[in-house]
Amino acid sequence: MFKKKPIYKTYSDEELAERILEGDETAYVEVYDRYFGIIYAFSRKMLQDEDQAEDITQDIFLTLYEKMGSLRVISLRAYLYQSARYALIDYSRKQQSKVNYMTGLTDYYAQGVWSTDDAVIENELRSQIEKQIDQLPAKMRTIFELSRKSYLNNKEIADQVGISEGTVRLQIHHAIARLRSRLTIFF
């Protein structure tokens, strides 16, 4: 991905924030390496769910990457923790909505009114998801499928593909972001 210069390890958070504002991708990689584990641990502790904590942490760093060049932060640490807090609150709200939705769906299905239209829509959605996965770059698609279809963890994928766990995390993160952006058109 990006080649990190050893000097970036010596930079303070403030210096890295300035570099990120300038669009310096190497500074972003240093921030990612420095804080991914910390934010992940915080999210995992709050959620008690490793996979969801990893997804949330990846989303936080994707947002940071997307805002690189325009994001002004006083404290990277505070920004990342605050982003995690907001993401966790949002996740909790979505989970409650999912519970309400699933209850309603279960009631709907129990009434026997699941229609042919519903089945067609479900099949079309599955088809769109598979189509979008097939359009991912080859290595990203392989990593994503090992994660989501073969249920391998990042270490197992890294060992199998011959790359670092950090690269696996980034590839999965970027794949999810691409799929989300492309599938919102479907909805």
Side-chain angles (χ1 to χ4, degrees):
M1 185 113 203
F2 306 111
K3 181 88 168 136
K4 193 163 61 166
K5 299 173 187 165
I7 193 164
Y8 279 74
K9 287 207 175 288
T10 64
Y11 284 9
S12 69
D13 284 358
E14 292 78 19
E15 290 170 314
L16 289 171
E18 288 174 26
R19 295 274 190 187
I20 287 174
L21 180 59
E22 295 168 1
D24 186 339
E25 291 179 342
T26 307
Y28 168 81
V29 173
E30 177 60 33
V31 170
Y32 184 93
D33 289 346
R34 193 178 287 186
Y35 283 105
F36 187 92
I38 295 167
I39 298 302
Y40 168 75
F42 172 73
S43 299
R44 189 184 68 217
K45 180 179 177 187
M46 300 305 284
L47 291 174
Q48 301 296 313
D49 181 338
E50 290 179 8
D51 292 333
Q52 193 56 46
E54 186 168 342
D55 287 346
I56 285 174
T57 306
Q58 288 175 351
D59 286 343
I60 291 165
F61 280 92
L62 177 63
T63 301
L64 178 63
Y65 183 79
E66 289 171 342
K67 291 181 177 181
M68 190 168 53
S70 63
L71 181 69
R72 291 185 188 275
V73 294
I74 296 171
S75 166
L76 280 171
R77 183 182 205 92
Y79 169 79
L80 293 170
Y81 271 108
Q82 194 64 27
S83 295
R85 282 187 204 102
Y86 288 140
L88 291 167
I89 290 168
D90 188 46
Y91 174 75
S92 289
R93 286 183 184 145
K94 285 179 182 175
Q95 285 303 103
Q96 186 57 46
S97 293
K98 256 189 211 175
V99 168
N100 294 343
Y101 175 76
M102 289 307 291
T103 301
L105 187 59
T106 302
D107 293 345
Y108 175 75
Y109 188 70
Q111 294 171 5
V113 291
W114 188 257
S115 71
T116 304
D117 288 345
D118 295 328
V120 169
I121 291 169
E122 179 184 356
N123 288 335
E124 179 61 24
L125 177 58
R126 286 179 203 263
S127 172
Q128 287 297 321
I129 291 170
E130 285 302 319
K131 181 180 174 185
Q132 294 305 322
I133 290 171
D134 289 343
Q135 291 179 1
L136 293 172
K139 192 165 199 167
M140 184 182 290
R141 181 178 61 244
T142 300
I143 292 168
F144 181 79
E145 288 177 336
L146 288 171
S147 170
R148 296 307 195 257
K149 291 181 179 179
S150 299
Y151 305 105
L152 299 180
N153 65 35
N154 290 351
K155 180 164 179 25
E156 293 169 330
I157 295 169
D159 291 343
Q160 187 170 336
V161 179
I163 56 177
S164 72
E165 284 185 65
T167 303
V168 170
R169 270 196 304 270
L170 272 174
Q171 289 291 315
I172 293 170
H173 178 72
H174 291 306
I176 290 169
R178 284 183 183 197
L179 292 173
R180 278 186 183 155
S181 68
R182 291 177 182 167
L183 289 172
T184 52
I185 294 168
F186 179 76
F187 293 107

